[in-house]
Amino acid sequence: MVRGTQRILYIMLAFCIGLFIASSFFIRAKYTYSVYGDTTVLEKQQWVLFILAAAAVLAVSFVLYRMCLKLNRYSRKIVIPAVLLFSFAIQLVIIFLFPRMPTDDSQTVLSLAMDMLYEQDYSSFQTGGYLYMFPFNFSMVLYLKTLLFLFPDNYLVIKIFNILFSLVTTLMVYLLYKELNARSKENDYGVLIIAATYIPSLFMSNFIYNDVIATAFLTSALYFAVRFLRRMSMKDILLAAILLAIGNYFRSTGMIFLIAVLICLFFSIRTLGLKKALASIGITVLLFNVPGWTQNAVLQATHVVDEPVNKNSAPVYMWLNMGINLETLGFWDNQQSYNIYQREANYNKTDSVELFKASIGDKLSEASLGELAEMYYKKLVWTWTEGTYQMERYGIGNDGSSRSGGRAGFVMDRYSYTTFATDLFKGDSKYRSGLLWVLYVQNFLMYGFILIRLIGGIRAKRFEETSLILVVLGFIAFYLLWEIKSRYIYPVYPLLIVLSYMGFKDVYDYMLNRKR
């Protein structure tokens, strides 16, 4: 029964990955804020450039893998710190070369943190305030407030902490891979080096928001959950539950990780034993909402708010309504959904829910089945094949001089100062577009190797990666309905690296055996 269910999950993900791969031969998903503004772009695939770029990246990957194999002779105590230090140095250089300043929500949460620290101003929790509407972002405000209190008031400090969290994610990618491949006799430093030099993660440390932090906690939580399923130590599931709760506190998609962990615990009841399985499930569920409950209790006890912060916050239906849009494919809808909550419902959660339900019903009834199917297909393909997690804007940044379309008139990106690198990557320069092409085809190749790994697992009835499969499927299903940004799926990039490296290694070993 369990193995049959696991097989179905593998087939489901294989189908989705196959869809992404097949679509990429005909459609190029793009996000270039400096040219198109904050919007989705789907254009006809440029076959020649696509194939040449994919072949080049693939060739480089094989060469680098061969080089990584030579590191097997060295101890982990030497290689792991050296690789992490190298990654730290690269990211430090990037934040100096591309001194992107906060914009959008990142600027808002930073401003609120400074207001609370220096002026004791918590008015944002009052009706119409940012935290009144989006109390889930108080976690980031509290984190930034703590950093500002402990360290000098400087963007550099915050970004360095981003780098540290990024390094934690890199280490967890390696440990997660080794936990899933415990029988491997090699050190497998290749997966560590890929995670340490993965370009989107190197640049996203430049983004002052919750993406990097949440990814570190959620990846760590999944590692300890997998470790628990293999070693059955209650200490591991306790650590997994704590890290999962913290990760969800920073980004609510932790719920997807929670569901994946719980399903895997149910799958392992026979192995764990009923008593240990129920205890682990209870610990994970009970601790999950502790940070949110604690935050609510403290805010009410200190009279910052008089009622639970979520009582009149923006409802989930707002993002579901935003997620149904034939024109933007569920991307930003130019404040249409915000206006329903803010103006039509006057910040009343109950009233806005009814308005959003009516709006969703109207959209579904007015569009034909063909139009809806096309929208959901394009929405899925753009989100998962864009391949850069919108690093072009949130990591590299812009100088504010190139604007057209989307939300360009609404938000202006800028640098603290300019460098030769900001000049080279200005606008739609060949350096910027070239880098985006590399990331795009790298993402495509990763899917190819993931598909190979999934098919191999189905044929061999090997389902050790079920927890990772569940998380990825959860993100696919969730963002099929929710408002989309390719940045939103950033927390799954560590899992994609693990799965794709497994597939790459399978291909390499197969080719090596045939050659022998």
Side-chain angles (χ1 to χ4, degrees):
M1 177 66 178
V2 170
R3 296 184 72 81
T5 304
Q6 291 174 321
R7 186 172 186 272
I8 292 172
L9 293 172
Y10 270 61
I11 292 173
M12 290 172 62
L13 184 57
F15 172 79
C16 292
I17 297 297
L19 178 66
F20 303 155
I21 293 172
S23 299
S24 297
F25 283 102
F26 305 98
I27 302 173
R28 164 79 193 278
K30 291 178 68 176
Y31 179 89
T32 311
Y33 182 78
S34 57
V35 179
Y36 304 105
D38 197 19
T39 188
T40 58
V41 176
L42 288 170
E43 62 182 28
K44 187 177 179 180
Q45 185 61 272
Q46 301 177 49
W47 274 55
V48 175
L49 186 56
F50 175 61
I51 293 173
L52 289 176
V57 172
L58 186 59
V60 171
S61 299
F62 272 97
V63 171
L64 291 177
Y65 181 74
R66 292 290 298 271
M67 293 173 62
C68 291
L69 290 178
K70 296 180 180 180
L71 294 175
N72 275 327
R73 69 187 75 168
Y74 300 106
S75 168
R76 294 184 189 182
K77 294 180 180 180
I78 297 174
V79 176
I80 292 177
V83 171
L84 294 179
L85 184 61
F86 178 67
S87 181
F88 180 88
I90 295 176
Q91 294 178 70
L92 193 62
V93 169
I94 286 173
I95 64 177
F96 277 111
L97 290 180
F98 299 94
R100 184 189 188 277
M101 294 183 68
T103 55
D104 296 353
D105 291 318
S106 62
Q107 176 59 54
T108 302
V109 294
L110 184 57
S111 297
L112 291 176
M114 296 178 72
D115 290 343
M116 291 180 188
L117 178 63
Y118 300 122
E119 300 178 18
Q120 303 300 308
D121 181 5
Y122 289 83
S123 61
S124 182
F125 281 105
Q126 303 306 313
T127 304
Y130 180 82
L131 293 178
Y132 180 88
M133 296 185 288
F134 313 118
F136 54 80
N137 265 339
F138 182 59
S139 57
M140 194 63 195
V141 173
L142 188 61
Y143 164 76
L144 292 174
K145 178 186 173 184
T146 303
L147 289 188
L148 293 172
F149 175 75
L150 296 175
F151 301 98
D153 183 354
N154 193 293
Y155 295 142
L156 182 61
V157 171
I158 302 171
K159 292 180 180 182
I160 287 176
F161 270 86
N162 269 355
I163 294 175
L164 296 177
F165 280 111
S166 177
L167 297 181
V168 169
T169 302
T170 296
L171 179 60
M172 288 301 150
V173 167
Y174 179 71
L175 295 178
L176 181 59
Y177 177 88
K178 293 301 293 180
E179 195 66 35
L180 292 169
N181 292 269
R183 288 172 292 184
S184 175
K185 297 179 181 179
E186 298 179 353
N187 284 317
D188 296 305
Y189 293 133
V191 69
L192 174 69
I193 293 174
I194 290 173
T197 57
Y198 189 59
I199 297 175
S201 67
L202 296 178
F203 277 88
M204 287 297 278
S205 292
N206 212 11
F207 183 44
I208 298 175
Y209 204 48
N210 56 23
D211 301 66
V212 176
I213 303 170
T215 300
F217 279 109
L218 294 174
T219 306
S220 301
L222 190 62
Y223 161 70
F224 281 106
V226 170
R227 182 184 168 99
F228 169 72
L229 293 172
R230 289 183 57 84
R231 309 188 187 192
M232 293 183 286
S233 169
M234 293 304 293
K235 179 179 67 175
D236 288 329
I237 196 62
L238 179 61
L239 281 171
I242 293 172
L243 292 167
L244 185 59
I246 298 173
N248 182 72
Y249 182 57
F250 279 102
R251 197 165 189 86
S252 299
T253 46
M255 178 62 71
I256 299 173
F257 283 79
L258 172 68
I259 294 171
V261 170
L262 292 179
I263 291 175
C264 287
L265 290 174
F266 276 114
F267 284 168
S268 303
I269 284 180
R270 181 175 296 181
T271 305
L272 296 171
L274 183 61
K275 185 177 179 181
K276 182 168 286 190
L278 291 177
S280 61
I281 291 170
I283 290 171
T284 306
V285 172
L286 287 175
L287 291 180
F288 188 70
N289 285 314
V290 167
W293 293 337
T294 304
Q295 170 188 293
N296 225 15
V298 172
L299 289 174
Q300 291 187 70
T302 54
H303 305 292
V304 173
V305 297
D306 298 323
E307 57 189 13
V309 293
N310 292 316
K311 184 175 182 179
N312 276 304
S313 61
V316 295
Y317 288 96
M318 184 175 81
W319 288 277
L320 292 173
N321 182 64
M322 205 180 301
I324 305 175
N325 194 305
L326 298 181
E327 296 179 1
T328 67
L329 308 180
F331 203 83
W332 172 254
D333 62 2
N334 199 27
Q335 289 197 312
Q336 293 175 19
S337 296
Y338 277 26
N339 288 335
I340 291 175
Y341 167 68
Q342 294 172 326
R343 297 181 182 179
E344 296 182 36
N346 195 28
Y347 301 101
N348 185 291
K349 189 171 189 174
T350 303
D351 292 345
S352 69
V353 167
E354 298 306 317
L355 292 172
F356 283 125
K357 287 181 178 179
S359 177
I360 292 171
D362 290 341
K363 289 180 178 181
L364 294 176
S365 61
E366 291 171 1
S368 67
L369 288 177
E371 289 173 330
L372 288 173
E374 182 181 5
M375 182 204 72
Y376 283 117
Y377 165 71
K378 289 182 176 179
K379 181 179 182 180
L380 191 65
V381 169
W382 184 87
T383 304
W384 289 89
T385 66
E386 190 271 331
T388 74
Y389 307 97
Q390 296 171 265
M391 180 208 77
E392 180 267 346
R393 181 185 181 198
Y394 297 105
I396 298 176
N398 297 279
D399 64 356
S401 63
S402 302
R403 295 290 177 268
S404 62
R407 295 169 63 190
F410 181 67
V411 177
M412 295 294 286
D413 285 359
R414 61 193 188 280
Y415 295 120
S416 300
Y417 52 87
T418 58
T419 67
F420 77 92
T422 60
D423 291 336
L424 288 177
F425 284 80
K426 186 175 182 179
D428 193 28
S429 72
K430 61 181 180 181
Y431 297 98
R432 185 184 290 253
S433 59
L435 180 60
L436 297 184
W437 261 110
V438 169
L439 298 182
Y440 175 75
V441 298
Q442 181 187 41
N443 188 66
F444 168 80
L445 292 172
M446 287 174 68
Y447 286 145
F449 291 119
I450 290 173
L451 183 60
I452 290 170
R453 180 66 180 184
L454 292 173
I455 293 174
I458 293 169
R459 293 179 63 182
K461 297 181 181 180
R462 180 193 62 234
F463 306 115
E464 289 88 352
E465 303 92 30
T466 299
S467 56
L468 281 66
I469 306 300
L470 281 166
V471 172
V472 177
L473 282 174
F475 270 79
I476 290 173
F478 182 75
Y479 284 109
L480 188 62
L481 303 176
W482 203 255
E483 177 222 0
I484 61 164
K485 281 185 174 68
S486 59
R487 177 175 68 82
Y488 289 166
I489 64 171
Y490 185 78
V492 302
Y493 93 81
L495 313 188
L496 298 181
I497 288 178
V498 171
L499 292 171
S500 63
Y501 187 82
M502 289 176 176
F504 182 91
K505 195 169 186 294
D506 289 344
V507 172
Y508 182 86
D509 291 343
Y510 174 77
M511 292 173 61
L512 187 63
N513 289 333
R514 285 202 63 180
K515 185 177 179 180
R516 287 174 178 172

